[in-house]
Amino acid sequence: MSGFEFQVRTPLHSKQGLVVEKRPDGTHRDVNLSLVWPRLVITVGAKKIECGQEIIENAVVHAFPQLDGHVDGHLNGKKGYAFQCVHRRDSTTTTYFADSQEDRHEWCKLLRKHAVHHNIDNGFEVTKKVLGTGAYATVYLAKDRRSNEVVALKLITRDRVVEEERKLLRQEVWVSQFLNTKYLVGTSEFIENRHSYVLVMEYVEGGELFERLIQRP
């Protein structure tokens, strides 16, 4: 495991910057986003807008290139690259424009990452179908809200994990993320929220390997 240091509760990356917000009346304004865990602060000039925390705790974030284009009077005349925050409860949508595709990608990646650490539902549609159970975890079938990819979510109740099990968890994440082989189920993401550790894993049909082994003659 040399050269790789994984820690549960690794701080999330922060980001600050100016973007353009499309308002409900169709007009636009410059806003400053400051994303520092666990908060999203939105300001216009010196005035703080109160919706930032609601967005980061209850929204699905995605790029929306269909709206890319010039935003009159903003971004110094450059093309704007759209991304949206869609509120899960009422589907209210807030649209922002970054000044480059790279900046949009970074905002989408980090806003989503912070959002799923607040609530896993901000990134995934979690079904009630149980794919497997273990000593301290349950695996559910889910769908990634961005890509519509079917995945397996391994939910581990934080209160049940002692220090020795945290060491095993670190090893499991390291092995599944850094060994690329068809014989190993991959882990694409590690998420920690208030109640659970979550491993986002490749979905493999066919049931649990252990059940297959004990059924062999």
Side-chain angles (χ1 to χ4, degrees):
M1 298 177 64
S2 176
F4 177 71
E5 183 178 357
F6 177 83
Q7 294 181 344
V8 176
R9 299 197 62 82
T10 299
L12 298 178
H13 292 295
S14 301
K15 182 173 174 61
Q16 298 185 38
L18 191 70
V19 297
V20 176
E21 178 191 57
K22 184 177 181 180
R23 307 183 72 181
D25 61 4
T27 61
H28 299 84
R29 62 180 178 182
D30 293 335
V31 299
N32 188 74
L33 305 183
S34 177
L35 180 65
V36 181
W37 178 261
R39 295 181 174 81
L40 172 64
V41 177
I42 305 175
T43 55
V44 178
K47 183 180 179 181
K48 178 181 175 182
I49 303 174
E50 296 300 327
C51 66
Q53 201 60 25
E54 183 69 13
I55 287 175
I56 203 63
E57 292 182 3
N58 297 289
V60 178
V61 182
H62 61 88
F64 202 78
Q66 296 91 324
L67 291 180
D68 290 357
H70 293 279
V71 184
D72 291 340
H74 300 271
L75 300 177
N76 295 318
K78 296 192 298 183
K79 182 178 180 179
Y81 295 87
F83 61 97
Q84 293 185 328
C85 301
V86 183
H87 201 292
R88 287 186 297 105
R89 294 175 183 169
D90 58 13
S91 297
T92 301
T93 301
T94 305
T95 301
Y96 298 102
F97 295 88
D99 64 2
S100 69
Q101 294 189 60
E102 293 77 12
D103 198 42
R104 170 174 62 190
H105 174 75
E106 190 72 8
W107 275 119
C108 287
K109 180 179 72 173
L110 292 179
L111 285 168
R112 177 196 170 277
K113 188 68 172 177
H114 283 240
V116 296
H117 276 251
H118 278 290
N119 190 326
I120 194 67
D121 291 330
N122 291 331
F124 301 90
E125 295 179 24
V126 185
T127 73
K128 295 181 179 180
K129 182 175 181 179
V130 175
L131 301 176
T133 57
Y136 61 95
T138 303
V139 182
Y140 293 93
L141 183 69
K143 184 171 73 172
D144 189 309
R145 293 183 184 274
R146 291 180 307 174
S147 65
N148 288 322
E149 178 185 5
V150 176
V151 297
L153 295 186
K154 185 173 185 178
L155 272 65
I156 304 164
T157 304
R158 288 173 52 126
D159 293 345
R160 296 179 59 185
V161 179
V162 298
E163 183 56 35
E164 185 61 30
E165 290 169 332
R166 287 193 181 93
K167 293 178 182 178
L168 295 175
L169 175 59
R170 286 194 288 270
Q171 292 175 354
E172 178 179 353
V173 172
W174 183 86
V175 169
S176 60
Q177 284 189 326
F178 285 84
L179 294 182
N180 184 16
T181 170
K182 65 180 181 180
Y183 301 109
L184 180 69
V185 175
T187 297
S188 61
E189 189 174 8
F190 177 83
I191 296 167
E192 177 185 1
N193 56 41
R194 184 172 298 176
H195 304 293
S196 304
Y197 300 124
V198 184
L199 277 68
V200 182
M201 307 176 72
E202 176 187 3
Y203 171 58
V204 179
E205 296 182 279
E208 293 188 78
L209 177 60
F210 178 73
E211 294 295 331
R212 293 295 185 93
L213 291 174
I214 63 176
Q215 291 172 6
R216 294 179 65 182

